[in-house]
Amino acid sequence: MTGWVSAALSVLALVVVLAAVHVPFGDYMARVYDSSKHTWFERATYRVIGVDPDADQRWPVYLRSVLIFSVFSVVSLYALLRLQPFLPLANGKDAMPAFQSLNTAISFVTNTNWQSFSGETLGFLVQMVGLAVQNFWSAAVGMAVLVALIRGFTRTRTDRVGNFWVDLTRGTFRILLPVAFVFAIVLLVSGVIQNFADTTATTLAGGEQILPGGPAASQEAIKELGTNGGGFFNANSAHPFESPTPFTNLLEIALLLVIPFSLPRTFGRMVGQLRQGFAILATMTILWAISVSLTVAAENAHAGAALQAAGAASEGKEVRFGIPMSAVFGASTTLTSTGAVNSMHDSYTPFGGGMTILNMGLGEVAPGGTGSGLYGMLILAVVTVFISGLMVGRTPEYLGKKLGAREVKLASLYILVTPALALIGTGIAMSTETGRSSMLNSGPHGLSEVLYAFTSASNNNGSAFAGLSANTDFYNIALAVAMFLGRFLPIIFVLALAGSLASQTRVPETEGTLPTHRPQFVGLLAIVTVVLAGLVYLPALALGPIAEGLS
Amino acid sequence: MSSVTVHESEQVSVGAFSPKSLVTSLPTALVKLNPRRMIRTPVMFVVLVGSVVTTIAAVLQPTVFAWSIAVWLWLTVIFANLADAVAEGRGKAQAASLRAAKKDSVAKRLEADGSITTIAGVDLHVGDNVVCEAGDVIPGDGDIIEGLASIDESAITGESAPVIRESGGDRCAVTGGTKVLSDRIVISITAEPGSTFIDRMIALVEGTDRRKTPNEIALNILLASLTIVFLIAVAALSPLANYSEAPQTLIVMSALLVCLIPTTIGALLSAIGIAGMDRLVQKNVLALSGRAVEAAGDVSTLLLDKTGTITLGNRQAHELVPAPGIEILELANAAQLASLADTTPEGRSVVVLCKEQFGLRAQEVSEFNDAEWIGFTAQTRMSGVDHDGQMIRKGAAGSVFAWVREQGGTVSPEVEQQVDAIAASGGTPLAVANGPRVLGVIFLKDIIKEGIAERFAELRRMGIRTVMITGDNPATAHAIAAEAGVDDVLAEATPEDKMELIKKEQAGGRLVAMTGDGTNDAPALAQADVGVAMSTGTSAAKEAGNMVDLDSNPTKLLDIVAIGKQLLITRGSLTTFSIANDVAKYFAILPAMFVVVLPGLATLNIMRLGSPNSAILSAVIFNALVIVALIPLALRGVKYRPATSGQLLNRNLLIYGVGGLIAPFIGIKIIDMIVSQIPGIG
């Protein structure tokens, strides 16, 4: 049982560290985005890209900037992948096929990091200049969109929601780069590799084996910090070169949770009501804790004879991490849109695997991706306030902003997008021979593989149920569409909502206003989050994991 | 103004609902099946499509199950229409009686040359002048430009006591359909036929020109998007079911979809809105727009006229305070004498006080032959009598003191102190003098309505601020405000001050409600989010406001707020109920759909329903019946008691959230026990 004790202590340490860090880190991020000062380096950047950093944008302009930047990123990453053999540091690797390149480019720009390739097939230049750069930028874009939405709540009677280029630059230079730098070194010191050469090892049998190497540590830090999840190596965080020890495992979990769990504090600070941020944080924490507990429980309790003999479901999990800390990683990575894996979710018990699908189905909000997690949760808060606000006898308002037809329309469209993409995608795949032929397993488990893939892509998570052969034209294209729409349609609605909120005056809070900082609201928000996702995904889950688990 | 007891309307009234109305409204409900009308409620339109699809499927492959589902889906749509029809039906009777008042009116038009032409009421135009005499029904809305008449307005207000209307001032408006009881008046018509007050009232109570209110639109959008999500979820389920070798029939898919989409609230939403307006009508308030009813729930500042709302209409003599060295009896004598010719309620209350406290017999003016009575004028602000060589005056303290000094007298500082003290305590000081001697002061007091302080405390708990509007000076105003428990005061208020206050509140994001009756109230009534015009008021005021109170009772503003809140709470609660219902329906339908190929799913059949067919049918039947069961609640509105938002939410969540979760488990189980007895289902 010592494994369980150490796991419990690890989770405790995780919670304590995050609880301690989220306050100063959240406050710091609020200062970054609220500040009116620019560093000399940022000024130089703005001059190069030709932006007036002190000119705030209207929401359509902000949105256009996001889209232009993202399309530029997709195109340049696509070009890098296609031109790999002609670039330096290619290590003799070939160009990636067209559809796969498109899938990969969209995947990394949308912060999904779905990989239909294995990391080992890429050269170091593409890894560093292509994928790693997108790891920073896609995370910074998510935070920028979030900050614009927060400004919608804080500002009144204006059509300006901030400057995307400033928010992007600051998020990259002041938040992601310094933290990633520090933790790249920590990971390096803890045994994650950072080199430019492959190693040839002699196996026990006396044969020779080439172990691919590369600058992994520098990529590993931002992979987790930016909730990206794209592995340097195919085996992702299960690979000893990416995460060699239980300590690095715990550190990676902490890194992938730290920004999403600190942003509610940033939100509370920016809207001038810390308790509002705390309520959101509490909701995220409760959902995370429940999900982690259920996943761990599911992995621990299994009916299979072999698994009972082993004590738990250990297939597909690394012995050095143990079952509980694999499950904690699995739940955390699917709840944060990270999609890094330290164990194979395909091998989880039916209910454990089902939890990972449901986690993503929640909409990546507990705590969700960098920026996207909080804006998703704020959208759910808008829906919750709308329904429960009516029950106190007023037309609903959140943080002093009225939720009228326009606001509800945008929030409704937001919550409609990802389930629609995931379910339509799954439906199409299951009704075509091409879609079904990629499944490794038959029966409910095969269905789970496909459902997992589309849920993961639509919600920009990026992890995979390992069984599915996703490198086919069908899946490369279908999942690319799901990732692209799953990222940018919600962003359109979020920014439109930001503009709509910013143009309003603030309604003063009275005794008659629905309080959105009390446990009552926290509970409601958590229930609405679960019920909305549950009702939509339940039929599909019933035919996949639930059917498998109950048989 | 009718008399008011504040407590009468503590709780929003319960509208009558008779099960019989379900039957009588059935034909209307069937007429409403028109798809072009149905598409306005996307949720119910989906059910309509589902009904058509299942009917076709049942015709092609007739089974007891198929026909049962088809019939119950149709019933679901019809029940939803029934809710609308019943809600609208309640206004029909009222509309009929209003129509009776309107019909066959004949107008005596006064031509420019002074002659009179008799024409039909419907041929009148704005600007025409008409003559009405005793016994005539007034042919259209207008203002009296000549004369005075007593008018029976019972056709509109239901109040049988006649009211006086006269040219000039704030009581010149008359309404078409009311009846002149005495005298002769000339009316200038202010509304075209078809858009008169009575026409608008008919349209309102019938709900014919009802438009969706902003919050209703927002809720509809949310419901529509939930419907789309479920539509996608069910559509995507089909290939998954085929893959799992458990292909589903269109009938089962339609049943699942209808059970998942929020039909309960979708069916009742517009009935809730109609019923909200109807509850106002029952309170004798006409909301000229549904938006105003919704805004009433949101109001955070109430502007209340002191007189009539907070205090009874008139001040009353409360105490006599003699000047130093004056016998109180001498003061009482003089006060009574000076008030005999004063027929205002204040004057009469002085006579009454003198009689009750000092036993002075009320003398008659006719007993004094040689007396010269001096009436009250706005300039002198005094009344009195010259009699027996004495000159007795009573009036506003300042005016009387000035008069005393003119007579060569002085005013002692003690008396001035008494005057200030009375003013500070919220009273109105009247000084009484006999020639150069000040005899003392009469304390006129505002009588605050019983129970009003408690209502204001309630409002405060609901987060609503009350502002008292008065023409009194600040000291007086604040004293009354403190006694009545209002939050703020606008003293010495002019119409411009009111307007400014409203704009200031609105600039701070607060919604403002007010009442008014005068023409000079009109701009403020138009500016306020909820402007309640008194039916006795001018037509300008009635045009400007978005509600008209037929009883002309300003205290009703509090009821209007309660009805607005109740409307919103009903919507929210039934939405919560509707969504919470889905959980149980899943537990009924999902295992039923797939248990044959995936026997493990039987575990989810926690209700232990008889058979897959009976489970699905039971869920559909429950879904339909719950609409009928909730029609009375939708019409009545959920119970509303003033409380803080947290308490309200807890209560409603418990009843409609938790209740909505549990009720269908029980309901579906009971229905299943019956349905599974049917051959071909069980």
Side-chain angles (χ1 to χ4, degrees):
Chain A
M1 288 306 284
T2 52
W4 291 99
V5 172
S6 87
L9 288 174
S10 299
V11 172
L12 186 67
L14 185 66
V15 171
V16 169
V17 165
L18 289 174
V21 165
H22 90 277
V23 172
F25 191 39
D27 289 349
Y28 169 73
M29 289 193 283
R31 278 200 303 279
V32 165
Y33 290 110
D34 270 343
S35 160
S36 56
K37 296 200 184 71
H38 312 287
T39 64
W40 68 268
F41 191 74
E42 288 163 357
R43 281 187 192 286
T45 311
Y46 301 139
R47 260 196 301 279
V48 170
I49 57 176
V51 166
D52 173 7
D54 297 312
D56 272 1
Q57 298 168 318
R58 293 181 301 115
W59 80 262
V61 183
Y62 199 102
L63 172 65
R64 207 182 311 147
S65 307
V66 171
L67 294 180
I68 288 172
F69 179 73
S70 300
V71 169
F72 161 80
S73 297
V74 170
V75 171
S76 56
L77 183 52
Y78 180 83
L80 272 175
L81 292 165
R82 300 287 290 149
L83 300 174
Q84 178 163 252
F86 313 104
L87 300 172
L89 279 175
N91 298 26
K93 306 284 162 60
D94 273 340
M96 190 183 271
F99 286 140
Q100 196 179 19
S101 296
L102 179 72
N103 180 287
T104 306
I106 288 177
S107 169
F108 276 73
V109 170
T110 55
N111 197 258
T112 313
N113 305 45
W114 170 267
Q115 292 168 294
S116 68
F117 60 96
S118 79
E120 287 85 342
T121 60
L122 292 182
F124 298 148
L125 184 85
V126 171
Q127 285 275 14
M128 291 190 298
V129 179
L131 305 188
V133 167
Q134 290 310 326
N135 278 355
F136 282 97
W137 280 350
S138 64
V141 167
M143 291 200 285
V145 172
L146 165 70
V147 170
L149 178 60
I150 297 177
R151 291 195 188 110
F153 286 108
T154 60
R155 295 185 178 183
T156 52
R157 293 188 187 194
T158 176
D159 55 358
R160 309 282 151 161
V161 295
N163 185 312
F164 169 70
W165 305 106
V166 173
D167 294 334
L168 175 75
T169 309
R170 288 185 182 176
T172 311
F173 286 142
R174 297 196 201 177
I175 297 168
L176 296 171
L177 262 176
V179 180
F181 181 79
V182 169
F183 284 96
I185 305 231
V186 174
L187 285 168
L188 184 63
V189 170
S190 312
V192 180
I193 64 161
Q194 179 85 359
N195 57 28
F196 284 95
D198 297 342
T199 313
T200 309
T202 312
T203 64
L204 287 175
E208 285 197 342
Q209 187 183 357
I210 297 172
L211 300 178
S218 56
Q219 222 143 309
E220 194 64 20
I222 189 62
K223 175 186 112 183
E224 314 296 358
L225 183 68
T227 62
N228 292 290
F232 193 91
F233 301 108
N234 190 31
N236 212 307
S237 288
H239 197 299
F241 286 176
E242 281 199 32
S243 181
T245 65
F247 168 73
T248 56
N249 186 47
L250 189 60
L251 178 64
E252 290 188 3
I253 298 175
L255 277 177
L256 68 87
L257 291 172
V258 69
I259 290 186
F261 269 132
S262 298
L263 282 173
R265 174 79 183 188
T266 311
F267 164 69
R269 185 57 80 187
M270 287 178 80
V271 298
Q273 291 188 61
L274 288 176
R275 58 189 191 178
Q276 299 288 353
F278 189 76
I280 298 285
L281 176 68
T283 313
M284 290 175 165
T285 309
I286 289 170
L287 291 173
W288 176 80
I290 292 173
S291 173
V292 165
S293 312
L294 290 177
T295 313
V296 171
E299 292 314 287
N300 188 38
H302 191 277
L307 299 169
Q308 277 182 341
S314 48
E315 179 196 308
K317 299 189 180 69
E318 294 294 302
V319 174
R320 67 181 186 284
F321 303 142
I323 284 129
M325 286 316 283
S326 296
V328 172
F329 195 111
S332 298
T333 194
T334 46
L335 281 167
T336 52
S337 99
T338 308
V341 290
N342 78 344
S343 50
M344 298 305 120
H345 297 177
D346 190 35
S347 303
Y348 277 30
T349 60
F351 288 128
M355 274 309 296
T356 60
I357 299 178
L358 184 62
N359 284 343
M360 296 186 290
L362 293 181
E364 303 297 13
V365 291
T370 41
S372 59
L374 183 52
Y375 67 62
M377 193 50 118
L378 290 176
I379 294 282
L380 284 165
V382 164
V383 174
T384 307
V385 166
F386 184 78
I387 298 172
S388 53
L390 282 176
M391 279 193 282
V392 305
R394 287 173 65 98
T395 61
E397 64 216 31
Y398 185 45
L399 298 171
K401 296 301 177 79
K402 280 274 170 209
L403 305 179
R406 184 173 163 76
E407 290 75 19
V408 169
K409 182 172 74 190
L410 293 168
S412 301
L413 285 170
Y414 181 103
I415 54 171
L416 195 122
V417 170
T418 50
L421 288 172
L423 294 173
I424 292 173
T426 310
I428 291 174
M430 295 311 290
S431 51
T432 56
E433 186 51 43
T434 341
R436 287 195 298 266
S437 62
S438 285
M439 296 185 311
L440 177 70
N441 298 84
S442 59
H445 198 79
L447 195 152
S448 299
E449 289 170 5
V450 177
L451 178 62
Y452 193 108
F454 279 96
T455 309
S456 173
S458 307
N459 288 288
N460 294 151
N461 180 278
S463 62
F465 234 34
L468 190 77
S469 314
N471 187 19
T472 64
D473 287 352
F474 173 80
Y475 281 102
N476 274 330
I477 295 170
L479 294 176
V481 171
M483 288 187 287
F484 191 83
L485 297 179
R487 172 73 164 183
F488 294 108
L489 287 180
I491 284 183
I492 292 173
F493 303 136
V494 167
L495 288 176
L497 181 64
S500 169
L501 294 172
S503 65
Q504 292 186 23
T505 49
R506 191 183 315 286
V507 184
E509 199 177 318
T510 68
E511 280 294 315
T513 314
L514 173 79
T516 52
H517 60 274
R518 304 222 186 107
Q520 183 189 46
F521 184 75
V522 171
L524 258 179
L525 180 53
I527 289 171
V528 167
T529 307
V530 174
V531 166
L532 277 183
L535 289 180
V536 176
Y537 285 98
L538 196 63
L541 289 173
L543 291 179
I546 297 178
E548 191 187 351
L550 292 177
S551 63
Chain B
M1 225 169 268
S2 60
S3 69
V4 191
T5 51
V6 176
H7 276 290
E8 72 179 356
S9 41
E10 181 134 280
Q11 220 187 307
V12 176
S13 77
V14 173
F17 168 78
S18 68
K20 221 176 83 184
S21 62
L22 287 176
V23 181
T24 54
S25 304
L26 199 57
T28 327
L30 293 173
V31 172
K32 283 170 184 282
L33 283 173
N34 178 358
R36 260 180 300 185
R37 206 194 138 275
M38 295 287 302
I39 198 144
R40 276 184 267 166
T41 10
V43 183
M44 294 322 293
F45 185 75
V46 169
V47 184
L48 181 69
V49 173
S51 315
V52 173
V53 168
T54 46
T55 308
I56 295 170
V59 169
L60 296 178
Q61 274 187 320
T63 61
V64 178
F65 174 69
W67 276 109
S68 306
I69 295 285
V71 165
W72 278 99
L73 290 190
W74 279 110
L75 285 176
T76 310
V77 187
I78 291 168
F79 289 161
N81 289 345
L82 202 54
D84 271 17
V86 172
E88 285 167 3
R90 302 210 300 172
K92 288 266 161 60
Q94 202 160 3
S97 74
L98 286 170
R99 281 224 173 77
K102 204 184 100 168
K103 69 171 183 198
D104 317 329
S105 70
V106 174
K108 289 183 275 186
R109 189 165 67 192
L110 186 62
E111 306 296 348
D113 60 2
S115 65
I116 287 175
T117 328
T118 304
I119 58 167
V122 291
D123 295 332
L124 282 173
H125 294 290
V126 171
D128 285 350
N129 289 343
V130 296
V131 176
C132 289
E133 287 161 310
D136 288 349
V137 171
I138 297 174
D141 293 1
D143 288 333
I144 302 178
I145 52 174
E146 193 187 312
L148 168 150
S150 68
I151 294 174
D152 173 11
E153 293 190 336
S154 59
I156 289 177
T157 62
E159 175 66 56
S160 55
V163 294
I164 303 293
R165 292 283 182 266
E166 61 186 321
S167 64
D170 286 346
R171 306 223 153 200
C172 65
V174 290
T175 312
T178 58
K179 194 172 178 184
V180 178
L181 293 180
S182 69
D183 303 285
R184 173 184 184 274
I185 48 176
V186 179
I187 300 160
S188 170
I189 296 296
T190 56
E192 292 287 335
S195 63
T196 61
F197 187 70
I198 210 163
D199 290 317
R200 283 194 288 168
M201 246 180 105
I202 292 169
L204 268 169
V205 293
E206 283 193 324
T208 44
D209 66 347
R210 202 182 86 86
R211 268 186 235 127
K212 286 193 176 119
T213 54
N215 175 262
E216 200 178 342
I217 292 171
L219 184 53
N220 243 321
I221 291 173
L222 183 71
L223 298 180
S225 92
L226 284 176
T227 306
I228 296 171
V229 172
F230 285 123
L231 196 60
I232 292 171
V234 171
L237 187 59
S238 180
L240 308 197
N242 291 342
Y243 164 80
S244 308
E245 285 158 7
Q248 297 297 317
T249 62
L250 264 179
I251 292 174
V252 172
M253 290 305 229
S254 303
L256 175 66
L257 178 62
V258 168
C259 285
L260 291 182
I261 61 177
T263 47
T264 314
I265 180 66
L268 298 172
L269 186 55
S270 81
I272 293 170
I274 299 168
M277 301 277 267
D278 192 53
R279 277 197 296 281
L280 277 178
V281 172
Q282 286 170 25
K283 287 267 174 196
N284 260 353
V285 176
L286 285 188
L288 304 179
S289 82
R291 191 183 279 258
V293 188
E294 227 164 61
D298 273 353
V299 159
S300 46
T301 308
L302 289 185
L303 303 192
L304 301 168
D305 277 325
K306 183 196 79 177
T307 309
T309 312
I310 296 170
T311 63
L312 294 174
N314 307 302
R315 284 173 261 217
Q316 291 179 6
H318 174 67
E319 193 187 348
L320 295 182
V321 186
I326 305 288
E327 281 294 319
I328 193 156
L329 219 55
E330 186 186 357
L331 171 63
N333 250 319
Q336 189 212 34
L337 214 51
S339 302
L340 283 180
D342 182 353
T343 55
T344 64
E346 286 87 351
R348 264 181 269 133
S349 79
V350 174
V351 177
V352 170
L353 180 81
C354 293
K355 185 179 166 188
E356 285 178 353
Q357 286 196 0
F358 304 101
L360 297 177
R361 183 180 65 87
Q363 293 162 294
E364 293 298 323
V365 172
S366 55
E367 293 173 37
F368 302 88
N369 296 323
D370 53 343
E372 189 192 335
W373 300 99
I374 293 147
F376 180 90
T377 69
Q379 281 75 42
T380 61
R381 305 214 288 158
M382 306 188 289
S383 63
V385 60
D386 292 351
H387 168 67
D388 261 357
Q390 297 183 57
M391 292 158 73
I392 297 171
R393 294 290 182 275
K394 177 207 80 179
S399 308
V400 171
F401 291 166
W403 181 81
V404 164
R405 290 193 183 99
E406 263 172 41
Q407 306 295 315
T410 53
V411 181
S412 70
E414 287 88 345
V415 173
E416 292 203 21
Q417 273 171 18
Q418 286 165 350
V419 166
D420 291 345
I422 290 170
S425 69
T428 306
L430 295 182
V432 182
N434 186 346
R437 283 195 311 143
V438 178
L439 300 178
V441 186
I442 304 172
F443 186 164
L444 282 187
K445 197 177 175 186
D446 268 312
I447 307 299
I448 293 186
K449 284 187 179 174
E450 208 182 318
I452 199 88
E454 287 77 19
R455 295 224 38 191
F456 290 154
E458 255 170 29
L459 286 172
R460 200 168 304 117
R461 279 200 301 279
M462 288 153 57
I464 297 175
R465 216 164 64 90
T466 46
V467 182
M468 183 179 89
I469 310 284
T470 170
D472 293 346
N473 66 59
T476 310
H478 278 106
I480 297 168
E483 195 177 341
V486 295
D487 298 308
D488 207 350
V489 172
L490 186 66
E492 291 172 348
T494 62
E496 293 75 34
D497 292 342
K498 261 197 218 184
M499 189 72 175
E500 203 172 306
L501 177 68
I502 294 174
K503 284 185 173 162
K504 200 183 87 195
E505 292 287 323
Q506 288 174 335
R510 283 174 287 269
L511 265 60
V512 180
M514 67 169 285
T515 59
D517 53 5
T519 298
N520 58 14
D521 283 332
L525 279 172
Q527 178 72 30
D529 301 283
V530 178
V532 184
M534 300 293 107
S535 163
T536 53
T538 59
S539 41
K542 283 196 262 185
E543 273 305 314
N546 45 22
M547 292 193 193
V548 177
D549 178 14
L550 302 174
D551 296 341
S552 302
N553 166 16
T555 315
K556 210 177 275 172
L557 200 48
L558 307 185
D559 297 332
I560 293 172
V561 168
I563 289 172
K565 286 194 175 295
Q566 196 192 23
L567 172 76
L568 296 172
I569 293 175
T570 308
R571 263 184 213 155
S573 300
L574 291 185
T575 306
T576 308
F577 184 85
S578 194
I579 296 172
N581 270 204
D582 277 4
V583 177
K585 292 176 195 163
Y586 262 138
F587 276 101
I589 298 182
L590 278 183
M593 285 170 81
F594 300 116
V595 76
V596 178
V597 286
L598 302 166
L601 289 180
T603 322
L604 294 183
N605 181 10
I606 54 174
M607 286 173 267
R608 299 276 153 238
L609 301 178
S611 73
N613 280 352
S614 76
I616 295 169
L617 182 59
S618 303
V620 170
I621 294 176
F622 175 82
N623 194 50
L625 288 182
V626 83
I627 295 174
V628 183
L630 289 175
I631 289 178
L633 182 71
L635 298 188
R636 200 176 59 218
V638 305
K639 208 166 156 201
Y640 168 68
R641 279 187 174 286
T644 64
S645 52
Q647 293 162 337
L648 279 174
L649 184 57
N650 272 340
R651 191 189 126 85
N652 292 322
L653 270 181
L654 193 69
I655 298 177
Y656 299 97
V658 179
L661 210 59
I662 298 169
F665 279 103
I666 300 168
I668 292 174
K669 178 67 189 168
I670 292 173
I671 295 170
D672 178 75
M673 283 156 61
I674 300 164
V675 165
S676 51
Q677 305 305 316
I678 303 173
I681 302 279

